[in-house]
Amino acid sequence: MITAYITHPDCMQHFMGPNHPESPKRLEAIRARLALSGVLTHTMQSEAQPVKAQTLALAHCPQYLEMLEAHAPQEGLSELDGETHMNQGTLAAARVAAGAVVRGVDQVFRHQADNVFCAVRPPGHHAERSSAMGFCFYNNVAIGVAHARQRYGVERIAVLDFDVHQGNGTVDIFKDDPGVLVCSSFQTPFYPWRYMNGTWDNIVNTPLMAGSDGTAFRRGVETHWLPALQAFKPQLIMLSAGFDAHRDDPMADLNLLEPDYFWVTQLALDIARVYAEGRLVSVLEGGYHLDALGTSVEAHLKALLGFPLGDP
């Protein structure tokens, strides 16, 4: 299989302070681990292009996009909330992060790649239609979904979100949209404290109690996600790939390991092969323990490439 690896140097320019967990070091750790293991050399590497303004407007309201531009600082940091800050490089990074996902969608529909991993930051799945939060500014996955629908006429798209936090932004944007199925696993009760008890037909929440391990995660995915996916028959799979549910991650209290990320990636690929001609685009979300992030993404990429996991 051809797995594309899309990133951009501008993703390193976004910085929210020396002690902030969402750091440029995250992408450094991923690339170092993939280079050390040799996995990176098996991917088709390419560089993102900034997303176009009209594509951003497919997922976010104009007033929100104008607010972000107005708050972009010339120097120092501009605070949007207690944990989400902008520096002078933030919007450039956010534009190429979203642009990577757009390029990934183009690659799978143009048969240039079988699947794609977007190694980007800032993350996106907490960004709602009109609100930044949780380290997120543009909802990268939602923008990719909107592009696939507009450019390629895709009627059914599934978003699978396995971050330790619920993808509230993606839910906010698509909760009343029957053409998008959102499946989200997350620790509960936990941030972002919203959209967790809704009854929308196209939102499948899979809450996991603190301390849950890979067995509970796999059981939840098989019980809740699989029947919904089989009934929905998606024509494209989008992954919000968060790795902060890892046992070593300081952000929360779930206990997933590298084989769990390998397993859920294989499951997503199986669904993509059955219903979507193999089309799958994965986008980095959380993951804040640098060593665990590197090895988890390595496991994820091995599954995308069709390689065995080997020794985790």
Side-chain angles (χ1 to χ4, degrees):
M1 287 192 293
I2 298 175
T3 295
Y5 182 92
I6 307 177
T7 188
H8 193 283
D10 282 356
C11 288
M12 304 293 288
Q13 301 307 310
H14 169 56
F15 180 72
M16 294 192 285
N19 299 313
H20 201 289
E22 208 294 284
S23 158
K25 293 179 180 179
R26 299 177 64 232
L27 294 187
E28 294 174 357
I30 289 171
R31 191 168 190 89
R33 179 65 195 185
L34 296 180
L36 179 65
S37 67
V39 169
L40 191 62
T41 62
H42 293 279
T43 66
M44 181 180 73
Q45 299 177 54
S46 59
E47 194 167 282
Q49 297 295 319
V51 69
K52 295 179 180 179
Q54 58 265 38
T55 305
L56 287 175
L58 297 174
H60 295 289
C61 69
Q63 296 85 352
Y64 170 63
L65 298 175
E66 292 168 5
M67 181 278 292
L68 288 180
E69 295 286 347
H71 279 76
Q74 295 300 310
E75 59 181 24
L77 296 176
S78 174
E79 183 174 304
L80 298 183
D81 65 28
E83 58 197 8
T84 308
H85 316 299
M86 301 173 70
N87 75 334
Q88 62 269 32
T90 294
L91 288 188
R95 290 188 192 103
V96 293
V101 185
V102 169
R103 181 163 190 173
V105 169
D106 287 341
Q107 287 182 337
V108 297
F109 276 98
R110 295 172 183 173
H111 306 289
Q112 297 167 339
D114 298 297
N115 55 63
V116 176
F117 178 68
C118 300
V120 295
R121 57 180 294 277
H125 73 153
H126 292 310
E128 299 184 352
R129 186 173 295 278
S130 58
S131 178
M133 59 184 289
F135 315 162
C136 302
F137 303 89
Y138 301 143
N139 193 308
N140 302 321
V141 162
I143 290 163
V145 168
H147 175 69
R149 301 171 90 176
Q150 183 191 61
R151 184 68 178 269
Y152 301 102
V154 187
E155 296 178 349
R156 297 183 307 281
I157 301 174
V159 178
L160 310 184
D161 185 320
F162 50 82
D163 194 272
V164 82
H165 305 99
Q166 188 219 36
N168 62 287
T170 311
V171 174
D172 176 72
I173 293 168
F174 295 119
K175 63 185 184 296
D176 297 310
D177 190 332
V180 181
L181 175 69
V182 180
C183 301
S184 182
S185 65
F186 51 88
Q187 181 175 321
T188 189
F190 205 43
Y191 183 90
W193 319 109
R194 54 211 288 162
Y195 294 130
M196 295 183 181
N197 299 312
T199 56
W200 303 280
D201 291 340
N202 65 317
I203 307 298
V204 181
N205 282 325
T206 303
L208 301 168
M209 298 302 295
S212 295
D213 60 7
T215 300
F217 169 69
R218 297 185 193 204
R219 185 185 306 119
V221 168
E222 290 176 333
T223 301
H224 301 291
W225 294 14
L226 269 183
L229 288 163
Q230 290 163 348
F232 186 67
K233 297 179 174 57
Q235 298 162 306
L236 171 66
I237 301 291
M238 304 286 293
L239 301 184
S240 273
F243 300 98
D244 43 6
H246 193 282
R247 179 183 62 190
D248 295 336
D249 198 287
M251 191 63 69
D253 298 293
L254 296 185
N255 292 302
L256 271 58
L257 295 170
E258 287 79 0
D260 301 309
Y261 293 118
F262 185 82
W263 174 85
V264 75
T265 308
Q266 286 191 314
L267 181 143
L269 286 168
D270 288 343
I271 294 294
R273 279 189 285 265
V274 171
Y275 300 112
E277 300 181 19
R279 293 183 291 260
L280 182 149
V281 177
S282 176
V283 186
L284 180 66
E285 300 286 0
Y288 304 99
H289 184 285
L290 297 181
D291 289 342
L293 175 61
T295 55
S296 297
V297 172
E298 178 189 359
H300 183 55
L301 264 291
K302 283 182 174 179
L304 293 178
L305 286 159
F307 293 174
L309 177 60
D311 183 0

